[in-house]
């Protein structure tokens, strides 16, 4: 293989000064090249077939579902990757020898964590929890968290081999005692839980305990922004996995105020999204008290707060914020409050065809609610028409939409047809002559 001055992904590092002089042109030994990428191996590992590959290349090969050795085509009965230390040392020596040609020495790679190591650490954590040894639990959580940060492979291996269950068990146990005494441990566990799902049903039941939920709710108002983000993220994950958590959350005094405060004083987009998901679940899943929850959030000022989030929010925040706003507009109080806000109609019209299909459907749904029944009025429909809602709705029909959205658009067109005299520029719109006035 002839190594040119151009740097390839995964190839040896080349000094720019040497490249510019055109001095670098030598052959990388075939033994040092990965059979998959043909690049110089940084972390050579040997499979059960006896063939050595660069770890990154063979892992990507296996992760895509391949179960055969790329060179021999033999079935890989054992996917274990054994580090080839001898070959790695030869490659490093070769890099040092060719330093004058602009080749940088490849550092000794960290060996990724294995499944047995994860299981061993989980067992030790469970044992330490049973002994009530909080100090040892902190050490183990920190140790595994550090390993998880080294690579996505490590994080995936840790998450898939019971780490979440050990964390849930430890968290539930120590929340039975003073939260202040074990604050460091509980915060470390929350941080790990934020990236270490999935959880087993047993783990979910432990985190659904009164002590666990009250601890997470307590941390929603913690001064540490990272802890607040982790707490709301874990609660969102729990609700997603088991909707019964909504019943438990509702029983926590002041939970609505805590969630509202996270939106009012933003931490990060991830925390905002998680908070919106929790609020939406609380409104939708509580058939008997959902209206009361909506009223409480409206009185706090959630509608203008969400409208502010929609102004500069990214796609995910807009989708979730519009879903919450749509739910609040199910009630008369929500429709009146939203309609009276000067930002509502301009923002909804703007979001149509501007963010996502979900945002378009939700924006149309909210407009339909606002203009229907007692809250609908001449001024609102005319304002939407002046902002270009008619043309946007026509485009939505042309590009295609669901049956429910199509029905709402039809109703909106009928309202616009009834009030078209108030908009001079729409008098000549041929689309209106095909619309029948509502009965």
């Amino acid at each position: 293989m002839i190594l040119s001055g151009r740097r390839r992904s995964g190839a040896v590092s080349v000094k720019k000064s040497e490249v510019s002089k055109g001095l670098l042109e030598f052959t990388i030994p075939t033994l040092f090249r990965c059979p998959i990428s043909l690049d110089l191996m940084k972390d050579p590992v040997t499979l059960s077939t006896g063939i050595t590959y660069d770890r990154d290349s063979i892992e990507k090969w296996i992760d895509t579902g391949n179960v055969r050795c790329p060179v021999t085509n033999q079935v890989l009965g054992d996917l274990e990757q054994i580090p080839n230390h001898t070959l790695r040392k030869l490659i490093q020596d070769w890099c040092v020898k060719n330093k004058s040609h602009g080749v940088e020495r490849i550092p000794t790679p960290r060996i990724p964590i294995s499944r047995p190591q994860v299981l061993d650490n989980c067992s030790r954590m469970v044992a330490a929890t049973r002994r009530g040894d909080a100090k040892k639990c902190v050490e183990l959580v920190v140790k595994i968290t550090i390993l998880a940060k080294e690579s996505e492979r490590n994080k995936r291996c840790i998450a898939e081999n019971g780490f979440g269950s050990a964390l849930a068990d430890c968290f539930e146990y120590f929340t039975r005692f003073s939260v202040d005494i074990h604050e460091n441990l509980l915060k470390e566990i929350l941080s790990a839980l934020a990236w270490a799902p999935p959880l087993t049903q047993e783990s979910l039941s432990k985190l659904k305990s009164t002590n666990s939920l009250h601890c997470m709710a307590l941390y929603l108002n913690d001064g540490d922004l990272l802890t607040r983000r982790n707490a709301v993220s874990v609660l969102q994950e729990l609700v997603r996995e088991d909707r019964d958590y909504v019943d438990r959350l509702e029983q926590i005094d002041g939970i609505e105020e805590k969630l509202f405060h996270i939106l009012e004083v933003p931490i990060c987009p991830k925390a905002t999204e998680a908070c919106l998901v929790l609020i939406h679940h609380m409104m939708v899943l509580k058939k008997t008290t959902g209206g009361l929850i909506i009223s409480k959030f409206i009185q706090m000022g959630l509608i203008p707060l969400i409208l502010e989030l929609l102004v500069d929010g990214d796609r995910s925040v807009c989708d979730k914020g519009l879903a919450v706003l749509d739910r609040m507009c199910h009630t008369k109080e929500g429709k009146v409050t939203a309609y009276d806000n000067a930002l509502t109609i301009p923002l909804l019209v703007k979001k149509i065809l501007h963010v996502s299909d979900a945002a378009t459907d939700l924006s149309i749904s909210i407009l339909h609610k606002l203009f229907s029944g007692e809250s609908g009025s001449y001024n609102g429909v005319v304002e939407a028409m002046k902002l270009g809602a008619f043309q946007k709705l026509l485009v939505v029909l042309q590009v295609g939409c669901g049956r429910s959205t199509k029905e709402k658009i039809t109703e909106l067109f009928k309202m616009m047809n009834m009030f078209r005299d108030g908009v001079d520029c729409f008098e000549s719109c041929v689309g209106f002559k095909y619309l029948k006035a509502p009965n």
Side-chain angles (χ1 to χ4, degrees):
M1 174 182 178
I2 303 298
L3 183 66
S4 65
R6 174 190 286 177
R7 179 179 297 183
R8 295 178 54 193
S9 175
V12 293
S13 179
V14 180
K15 291 183 179 178
K16 292 182 180 179
S17 59
E18 295 291 337
V19 174
S20 61
K21 295 178 182 178
L23 299 178
L24 186 60
E25 189 172 294
F26 58 95
T27 302
I28 296 179
T30 302
L31 180 65
F32 296 169
R33 291 185 289 155
C34 173
I36 296 176
S37 67
L38 300 181
D39 289 328
L40 186 71
M41 289 186 281
K42 295 182 177 181
D43 186 8
V45 293
T46 304
L47 299 184
S48 58
T49 56
I51 306 299
T52 298
Y53 302 91
D54 187 67
R55 187 187 295 276
D56 185 62
S57 296
I58 194 61
E59 283 186 348
K60 289 179 180 177
W61 171 268
I62 294 173
D63 288 343
T64 55
N66 294 295
V67 295
R68 292 180 179 274
C69 175
V71 173
T72 67
N73 201 36
Q74 296 177 11
V75 175
L76 297 172
D78 183 1
L79 299 180
E80 184 179 2
Q81 301 161 20
I82 303 174
N84 193 326
H85 299 295
T86 300
L87 181 58
R88 174 181 53 76
K89 185 64 169 59
L90 290 173
I91 292 173
Q92 289 176 329
D93 291 343
W94 178 84
C95 290
V96 172
K97 182 179 179 181
N98 289 279
K99 182 179 180 180
S100 60
H101 295 288
V103 180
E104 295 181 1
R105 182 179 182 277
I106 295 174
T108 302
R110 291 180 178 273
I111 299 176
I113 195 169
S114 64
R115 184 173 184 271
Q117 287 176 296
V118 177
L119 294 175
D120 177 63
N121 278 280
C122 289
S123 297
R124 293 168 62 191
M125 186 183 300
V126 171
T129 300
R130 296 290 178 266
R131 298 193 307 269
D133 189 347
K135 182 179 179 180
K136 186 63 178 180
C137 288
V138 171
E139 291 177 2
L140 290 168
V141 174
V142 171
K143 175 184 176 182
I144 299 180
T145 300
I146 292 173
L147 290 171
K149 291 179 179 179
E150 288 183 0
S151 68
E152 284 300 316
R153 182 198 178 282
N154 277 5
K155 181 181 292 186
R156 186 171 62 251
C157 180
I158 292 169
E160 292 175 352
N161 288 286
F163 184 51
S165 297
L167 289 172
D169 185 67
C170 187
F171 190 82
E172 192 277 333
Y173 179 85
F174 285 100
T175 53
R176 301 175 191 174
F177 310 101
S178 172
V179 173
D180 292 336
I181 293 176
H182 302 298
E183 180 180 14
N184 187 32
L185 171 60
L186 296 174
K187 287 186 176 182
E188 287 289 349
I189 293 176
L190 267 185
S191 178
L193 282 172
W195 59 261
L199 300 172
T200 64
Q201 287 302 315
E202 181 181 359
S203 302
L204 289 172
S205 65
K206 290 182 179 298
L207 291 176
K208 193 166 58 176
S209 71
T210 301
N211 291 326
S212 296
L213 288 178
H214 272 81
C215 179
M216 283 184 265
L218 176 66
Y219 286 149
L220 289 177
N221 283 354
D222 190 82
D224 182 356
L225 295 182
L226 181 60
T227 299
R228 292 171 59 196
R229 186 201 71 180
N230 293 333
V232 72
S233 297
V234 172
L235 284 173
Q236 180 225 352
E237 184 67 23
L238 296 177
V239 170
R240 187 182 69 83
E241 294 290 342
D242 187 345
R243 294 186 175 184
D244 289 340
Y245 276 95
V246 175
D247 294 324
R248 298 273 184 163
L249 280 177
E250 189 188 10
Q251 297 171 13
I252 298 176
D253 292 335
I255 187 64
E256 294 89 352
E257 289 81 358
K258 294 176 185 292
L259 294 174
F260 180 84
H261 184 64
I262 289 179
L263 294 180
E264 189 177 32
V265 185
I267 303 170
C268 65
K270 182 179 179 181
T272 299
E273 293 168 23
C275 191
L276 289 170
V277 170
L278 281 170
I279 292 174
H280 187 260
H281 278 299
M282 291 176 69
M283 293 178 176
V284 173
L285 299 179
K286 299 303 296 179
K287 296 181 179 179
T288 57
T289 59
L292 294 175
I293 293 173
I294 291 174
S295 179
K296 192 168 185 178
F297 276 116
I298 291 174
Q299 292 171 20
M300 289 179 192
L302 184 58
I303 287 179
L305 184 54
I306 285 182
L307 292 173
E308 290 178 14
L309 291 174
L310 293 177
V311 173
D312 297 315
D314 59 20
R315 172 175 176 172
S316 185
V317 168
C318 285
D319 286 349
K320 294 173 176 62
L322 286 168
V324 173
L325 184 58
D326 181 59
R327 192 65 190 178
M328 287 191 287
C329 287
H330 274 287
T331 67
K332 180 180 178 180
E333 183 183 9
K335 287 192 288 186
V336 171
T337 305
Y339 185 85
D340 289 342
N341 193 299
L343 277 175
T344 302
I345 294 175
L347 276 174
L348 292 174
V349 174
K350 181 180 179 180
K351 296 305 177 183
I352 297 174
L353 297 172
H354 186 69
V355 180
S356 65
D357 290 343
T360 294
D361 291 342
L362 288 166
S363 297
I364 293 172
S365 175
I366 298 169
L367 286 173
H368 181 264
K369 289 183 175 71
L370 296 180
F371 298 156
S372 300
E374 298 179 6
S375 66
S377 73
Y378 170 86
N379 291 333
V381 176
V382 170
E383 181 184 4
M385 293 163 65
K386 288 181 178 180
L387 291 167
F390 179 79
Q391 295 93 329
K392 282 195 168 187
L393 293 177
L394 280 178
V395 175
V396 173
L397 287 179
Q398 291 171 355
V399 300
C401 58
R403 179 178 177 180
S404 177
T405 299
K406 187 178 297 185
E407 291 174 353
K408 291 181 176 67
I409 291 176
T410 301
E411 292 297 321
L412 288 170
F413 277 160
K414 290 178 180 180
M415 297 175 199
M416 292 178 180
N417 184 39
M418 184 169 61
F419 297 137
R420 70 181 187 274
D421 292 338
V423 187
D424 295 337
C425 62
F426 280 82
E427 188 64 33
S428 60
C429 285
V430 295
F432 277 118
K433 71 180 181 180
Y434 298 108
L435 301 175
K436 296 180 181 180
N439 297 329

